[in-house]
């Protein structure tokens, strides 16, 4: 199957333009035969956290209807990040998964929030998985990359592809870019990282870009590169807008994982023990 990551700039205060821009890239990805297309976090609004009460949207709602229609037209699965206004009156950074049949299959509310975000956003509590025709999908978002527990939880659930919609400030680019391949190894699966670019004028910083598709380098060695180089990125879009598409043999990955998984050597009884008084 083919995976596509979209790297785009979302303009503050320009939701209609952002949707049109996303539509253009989704069509481009579909034209390259993508079965799974990934848009960044908060793609319709950018990271306008300070005004989340004004820019957040209901899920489901008009934005998810737009995404479902795009998925249907592309005949592909589509993941995108939105700032969600929950029925409980709280606000979330949410990723939604839409199917080629034109329906929303589910959502993930980002569990981890930076201390500054936590003043405006509420963290979710679940790591949902979705069984689709080519395999099992898990969802996460940019700040989750800092926590290996997320990747390991999806590994435990046998996920084939993790889609990470992201909007990471550029000052954290080095650390995020360093952690991404480690998360692919932790999860023992493919990671599709779709990242926003551009500048947040309210906050005074830009976003890192570096949208990429990664996997365990030992899995990729025979087909993609000389392992001595250590380059586990099958796609890396740098800082420019665009679409990156790669074909992945998930059956081969599952066979590799069955032989090379570390899960049989885990010692869960030793982890996260409460200190004895």
């Amino acid at each position: 199957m083919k995976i596509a990551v979209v790297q785009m700039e979302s303009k503050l205060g320009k939701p209609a333009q952002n949707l049109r821009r996303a539509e253009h890239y989704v069509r481009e990805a579909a034209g390259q035969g993508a079965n799974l297309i990934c848009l960044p976090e908060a793609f319709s609004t950018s990271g306008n956290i300070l005004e989340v009460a004004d820019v957040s949207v209901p899920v489901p709602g008009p934005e998810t209807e737009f995404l479902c229609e795009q998925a249907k037209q592309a005949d592909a699965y589509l993941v995108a990040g939105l700032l969600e206004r929950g029925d409980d009156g709280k606000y979330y950074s949410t990723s939604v998964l839409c199917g080629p049949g034109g329906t929303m299959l589910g959502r993930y509310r980002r569990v981890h929030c930076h201390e500054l975000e936590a003043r405006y956003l509420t963290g979710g509590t679940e790591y949902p998985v979705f069984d689709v025709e080519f395999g099992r999908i898990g969802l996460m978002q940019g700040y989750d990359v800092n926590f290996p527990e997320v990747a390991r939880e999806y590994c435990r659930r046998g996920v084939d592809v993790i889609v990470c919609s992201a909007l990471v400030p550029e000052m954290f680019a080095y650390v995020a870019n360093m952690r991404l391949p480690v998360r692919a190894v932790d999860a023992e699966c493919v990671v599709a990282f779709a990242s926003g670019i551009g500048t947040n004028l309210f906050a005074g910083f830009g976003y890192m870009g570096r949208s990429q598709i990664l996997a365990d380098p030992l899995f990729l060695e025979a087909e993609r590169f000389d392992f001595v180089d250590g380059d586990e990125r099958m796609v890396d879009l740098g800082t420019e807008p665009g679409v990156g598409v790669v074909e992945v043999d998930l059956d081969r990955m599952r066979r590799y994982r069955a032989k090379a998984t570390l899960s049989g050597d885990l010692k869960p009884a030793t982890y996260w023990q409460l200190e004895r008084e």
Side-chain angles (χ1 to χ4, degrees):
M1 52 89 69
K2 289 185 177 181
I3 302 173
V5 287
V6 171
Q7 184 157 289
M8 58 176 280
E9 179 178 5
S10 299
K11 300 285 189 179
L12 292 169
K14 304 288 185 180
Q17 293 181 13
N18 296 333
L19 264 60
R20 287 197 298 270
R21 189 174 295 111
E23 181 177 4
H24 166 78
Y25 287 124
V26 169
R27 288 182 178 178
E28 182 177 339
Q32 297 185 51
N35 309 105
L36 173 61
I37 304 170
C38 315
L39 291 169
E41 183 178 353
F43 88 98
S44 64
T45 57
S46 191
N48 197 356
I49 301 298
L50 298 179
E51 297 184 353
V52 66
D54 298 321
V55 303
S56 57
V57 299
V59 174
E63 283 72 17
T64 56
E65 291 177 2
F66 164 83
L67 291 168
C68 287
E69 180 60 27
Q70 296 306 308
K72 184 176 182 180
Q73 291 184 18
D75 191 26
Y77 293 90
L78 177 61
V79 175
L82 295 165
L83 293 178
E84 177 192 359
R85 181 172 64 252
D87 293 337
D88 56 5
K90 299 177 181 179
Y91 305 104
Y92 303 89
S93 187
T94 298
S95 288
V96 298
L97 172 65
C98 302
T103 59
M104 192 180 94
L105 303 181
R107 65 183 165 190
Y108 163 72
R109 288 171 167 171
R110 174 150 56 89
V111 171
H112 300 95
C113 294
H114 186 273
E115 60 179 344
L116 297 178
E117 291 181 307
R119 301 176 186 178
Y120 306 94
L121 299 177
T122 299
T125 58
E126 299 177 344
Y127 300 104
V129 297
F130 305 94
D131 291 309
V132 301
E133 60 190 71
F134 54 77
R136 176 167 282 195
I137 296 174
L139 304 179
M140 60 190 289
Q141 289 195 348
Y143 190 56
D144 290 325
V145 170
N146 295 292
F147 302 91
E149 292 79 7
V150 181
R152 296 303 287 172
E153 179 62 20
Y154 280 130
C155 179
R156 189 182 70 83
R157 299 189 185 192
V159 165
D160 298 303
V161 181
I162 294 176
V163 177
C164 181
S165 295
L167 194 62
V168 179
E170 60 187 357
M171 70 278 284
F172 302 123
Y174 175 78
V175 173
N177 198 52
M178 180 173 60
R179 285 176 170 161
L180 275 166
V182 181
R183 297 298 164 255
V185 176
D186 289 340
E188 297 183 357
C189 73
V190 175
V191 175
F193 178 77
S195 179
I197 55 175
T199 302
N200 187 322
L201 298 177
F202 290 166
F205 56 73
Y207 296 109
M208 69 173 275
R210 295 298 301 269
S211 295
Q212 49 197 274
I213 301 172
L214 316 91
D216 186 331
L218 290 175
F219 159 62
L220 295 175
E221 178 184 359
E223 297 179 0
R224 298 292 181 183
F225 61 89
D226 177 356
F227 182 54
V228 174
D229 295 338
D231 187 1
E232 55 284 319
R233 294 169 174 87
M234 296 177 280
V235 166
D236 188 337
L237 294 180
T239 59
E240 297 299 317
V243 176
V245 181
V246 69
E247 186 171 1
V248 179
D249 185 344
L250 291 181
D251 287 333
R252 178 180 178 272
M253 186 198 72
R254 294 184 192 106
R255 292 194 298 271
Y256 163 77
R257 187 168 59 195
K259 293 186 298 182
T261 181
L262 300 178
S263 59
D265 299 324
L266 289 171
K267 304 296 180 184
T270 68
Y271 310 138
W272 291 98
Q273 296 185 75
L274 295 176
E275 293 186 10
R276 296 180 180 179
E277 296 182 357

